[in-house]
Amino acid sequence: MIIDMNKDYSRTIPTAWRDISAIFAALGDEHRQRILLSFEPGERLNVGQIAEVSTLARSTVSHHLKVLREAGVLISEREGKEIYFRVNKTFLETSFGRVTSYLAAYL
Amino acid sequence: MIIDMNKDYSRTIPTAWRDISAIFAALGDEHRQRILLSFEPGERLNVGQIAEVSTLARSTVSHHLKVLREAGVLISEREGKEIYFRVNKTFLETSFGRVTSYLAAYL
DNA sequence: TGTTCATGTCGATAATCATCGACATGTTCG
DNA sequence: CGAACATGTCGATGATTATCGACATGAACA
């Protein structure tokens, strides 16, 4: 049974890292961290609310929210005129869990 | 007793996120991910060995290793002419652990 | 000491990303 | 339908980062 061969740099990134790499990239930015951390447990915030407490222009916040959503960190759902964001806690937990397991087993 | 006030964007990033934000930034890059993943458990690699399996110039690899070292992901130790890198597994485990705990408690 | 080898650093250029205001889209409601 | 509002998108500009080759540093060893 073949396990991941290390040493060959061009091999595919292991499954455990697929999701997490987008998360890393998304959360490598401080503005996006602050956006994530501005959520309270179970809370939903719309773009206006997030932009309001931010120091950035609304369109810039919108951009960061897109990055966070595409990485799976946040989930968006339209509600009338507004679009509410919430933390994808389950996804984050399983992703970090997978990475922690991979770390323990293979690094 | 005051806990972290959310909603105020300019507040300081919580302690659990201090270390991890540099890790996120460091591991947001695919080249740096591949470097990390090229280590086998307990293995130590020198710059030449890492550069050899990489597609990048040696000086570029050196740059990425610096980023990884400054983020605490890798530890370097000189041994004669060579400088060996190894994964800072303990640091990564505790950092990911803290984030997982914070995630469970506050998001 | 001087040569060789491994690595770090520097400076220039290229590539990527962040930021903004203006405009487009889509929703509500009169 | 048309006005008002919330959000997304676009294009331009500025800022940050990646990348490389050339050179500097530091260790081993004849």
Side-chain angles (χ1 to χ4, degrees):
Chain A
M1 150 169 91
I2 309 288
I3 312 289
D4 278 308
M5 269 284 291
N6 273 5
K7 281 299 113 34
D8 116 47
Y9 186 86
S10 57
R11 80 186 184 294
T12 50
I13 299 278
T15 320
W17 287 88
R18 287 273 168 68
D19 294 339
I20 203 77
S21 68
I23 296 177
F24 286 155
L27 295 183
D29 180 87
E30 184 171 335
H31 286 297
R32 291 194 286 263
Q33 282 183 37
R34 289 187 181 280
I35 289 174
L36 173 62
L37 294 173
S38 67
F39 284 85
E40 287 174 38
E43 191 178 29
R44 292 166 1 114
L45 299 170
N46 63 41
V47 182
Q49 294 174 311
I50 297 167
E52 200 175 354
V53 295
S54 161
T55 59
L56 302 168
R58 197 189 46 73
S59 64
T60 306
V61 172
S62 186
H63 162 67
H64 287 310
L65 288 171
K66 185 181 186 181
V67 174
L68 288 167
R69 182 168 46 74
E70 289 180 345
V73 174
L74 298 181
I75 293 175
S76 68
E77 38 207 11
R78 181 178 279 276
E79 190 145 327
K81 270 181 295 191
E82 289 123 34
I83 294 185
Y84 281 89
F85 284 83
R86 60 188 171 84
V87 177
N88 195 346
K89 198 170 168 176
T90 308
F91 176 69
L92 287 177
E93 279 169 348
T94 61
S95 297
F96 282 127
R98 270 204 287 270
V99 160
T100 302
S101 301
Y102 187 90
L103 181 64
Y106 301 112
L107 289 177
Chain B
M1 151 169 92
I2 309 287
I3 311 289
D4 278 309
M5 269 284 291
N6 273 2
K7 283 296 114 36
D8 114 46
Y9 186 85
S10 57
R11 80 187 184 293
T12 50
I13 299 278
T15 320
W17 288 88
R18 287 272 170 69
D19 294 339
I20 204 76
S21 68
I23 296 178
F24 286 155
L27 294 183
D29 180 86
E30 184 172 333
H31 286 297
R32 291 193 286 263
Q33 282 183 38
R34 289 186 182 280
I35 289 174
L36 173 63
L37 294 173
S38 67
F39 284 85
E40 288 174 37
E43 192 179 29
R44 293 169 356 118
L45 298 169
N46 62 43
V47 182
Q49 293 174 311
I50 297 168
E52 201 174 356
V53 295
S54 160
T55 60
L56 303 168
R58 196 190 47 73
S59 64
T60 306
V61 171
S62 186
H63 162 68
H64 287 309
L65 287 172
K66 185 180 185 180
V67 174
L68 288 167
R69 181 169 45 75
E70 288 180 346
V73 174
L74 298 181
I75 294 175
S76 67
E77 38 208 11
R78 180 178 280 276
E79 190 145 327
K81 270 182 295 193
E82 288 122 35
I83 293 184
Y84 281 89
F85 285 83
R86 59 187 172 86
V87 177
N88 195 345
K89 199 170 168 177
T90 308
F91 176 69
L92 288 177
E93 280 170 348
T94 60
S95 297
F96 283 128
R98 269 203 288 269
V99 160
T100 302
S101 301
Y102 187 90
L103 181 63
Y106 302 111
L107 289 179

